[in-house]
Amino acid sequence: MVTILKGLHGVQNYLDDVIVYGRTAAEHDRNLQAVLTTLQHAGLMLNRAKCKFSCTCFPYLGHTITAQGLLPNVGHIQAILGAPAPTDAAKLRSFLGLTSWYSRFVPNYASEVEPMRACLRNVFFLLVTKGMGCAGMRIARWSAHLLCFNYEVSSKPGSKNVTADCLSRLPLPTCVDTDSTIEPDMVTFLSAEPRALSLEEFSKECAACPELSALRQQLLTGWPKNKKTLSPELGPFFHIRDELAAQHSLVFRGLYRLVAPVSLRGALIYLAH
């Protein structure tokens, strides 16, 4: 649909939901006629029962579009207000996903929900693996994704892996792949130097970082309506302001990602590679 409507004025769409608009009735009608003609030439048909014409207010993708601007859908707001209190991590994560849809309408949304996000960061996980010692790049990637959680690693012996099939128990003889055999050593080498940063070191650098100090203060006082009044160092954070929250010296983006202090960004990029 995006390709079909490309180049037309006064039209937006999400999948097959199409909005035609204009600043005046005459402009609206011209845009509408152009859209209808284009759809006809493309061989597409509209369901008349689902079409609404000459509207000044209508619901769209969970919002209400009016002449005054974009507003949250009243029915959805009532659903959020009437939602039961979350009783576990899964329900809390679902509730945060529901409320984040309207985060743009809640001043300092990220700071408001930070106590709930902190609860999810404190959830304890158990990672069950097969094999001991260096488990290869796959386990290394899992570990990287789970750095934001507290978890224990428990090994499950192959003899207790009841889901394994016969071919995994009695594999055919194959040639040794020398490339694959060096994978555990490579993981060990990568993790040996340089060493990872501790939370204490990271927090100390965050506290001393002028950029993050200014960012924490901005989160505390609230964001302006546009970024013109912001300092150059805070300007890049404006478009993600609803995702940011401060906890002590740390600044989170979303539930699990931390904003790195300027002094550590080069080192962290080096560690990541």
Side-chain angles (χ1 to χ4, degrees):
M1 187 64 73
V2 173
T3 302
I4 294 173
L5 299 176
K6 184 178 180 179
L8 297 181
H9 297 289
V11 59
Q12 299 289 338
N13 78 286
Y14 178 77
L15 300 180
D16 60 350
D17 288 332
V18 181
I19 299 177
V20 181
Y21 55 89
R23 288 171 292 185
T24 64
E27 181 181 346
H28 167 272
D29 293 345
R30 287 195 303 271
N31 295 339
L32 177 60
Q33 186 59 52
V35 169
L36 293 176
T37 301
T38 300
L39 294 178
Q40 184 179 29
H41 289 166
L44 298 178
M45 298 182 63
L46 302 178
N47 185 336
R48 180 63 179 84
K50 293 184 178 181
C51 295
K52 296 182 180 180
F53 298 93
S54 302
C55 297
T56 58
C57 176
F58 58 93
Y60 190 72
L61 298 179
H63 294 79
T64 300
I65 298 179
T66 71
Q68 290 71 41
L70 192 67
L71 301 174
N73 185 286
V74 176
H76 289 190
I77 293 298
Q78 293 300 323
I80 293 175
L81 294 176
T87 56
D88 55 40
K91 293 179 180 177
L92 177 56
R93 190 174 291 106
S94 177
F95 179 77
L96 287 174
L98 178 65
T99 58
S100 66
W101 186 251
Y102 295 122
S103 60
R104 70 178 67 184
F105 302 104
V106 181
N108 301 317
Y109 170 82
S111 296
E112 294 291 337
V113 300
E114 173 54 28
M116 289 183 282
R117 287 175 167 172
C119 291
L120 290 179
R121 286 194 290 268
N122 292 330
V123 173
F124 191 88
F125 283 85
L126 177 65
L127 175 62
V128 179
T129 71
K130 292 196 304 177
M132 301 296 289
C134 295
M137 290 301 292
R138 181 171 60 178
I139 300 300
R141 288 193 296 269
W142 292 352
S143 300
H145 285 296
L146 293 172
L147 282 175
C148 52
F149 300 106
N150 297 318
Y151 65 92
E152 289 182 351
V153 178
S154 174
S155 176
K156 185 175 183 179
S159 60
K160 295 184 178 180
N161 184 14
V162 296
T163 60
D165 59 11
C166 179
L167 291 178
S168 66
R169 294 297 188 205
L170 300 172
L172 295 174
T174 57
C175 297
V176 176
D177 185 351
T178 56
D179 291 336
S180 63
T181 58
I182 66 173
E183 180 182 311
D185 293 334
M186 179 62 71
V187 174
T188 304
F189 173 77
L190 289 175
S191 62
E193 186 179 343
R195 62 186 178 85
L197 293 168
S198 69
L199 179 59
E200 182 180 357
E201 292 172 321
F202 188 87
S203 300
K204 183 179 179 180
E205 292 297 323
C206 287
C209 178
E211 181 178 291
L212 291 188
S213 296
L215 182 57
R216 289 193 298 271
Q217 183 61 34
Q218 192 68 60
L219 290 171
L220 182 63
T221 58
W223 292 89
K225 292 185 178 180
N226 58 67
K227 66 177 183 180
K228 293 181 180 179
T229 59
L230 293 174
S231 62
E233 63 184 1
L234 294 183
F237 294 102
F238 184 78
H239 73 285
I240 58 169
R241 62 192 182 281
D242 294 330
E243 303 176 48
L244 300 174
Q247 184 178 8
H248 306 302
S249 64
L250 305 177
V251 177
F252 287 89
R253 180 180 179 183
L255 292 176
Y256 313 120
R257 290 183 290 178
L258 286 166
V259 179
V262 176
S263 61
L264 294 181
R265 288 173 189 173
L268 290 172
I269 292 174
Y270 179 78
L271 284 171
H273 291 78

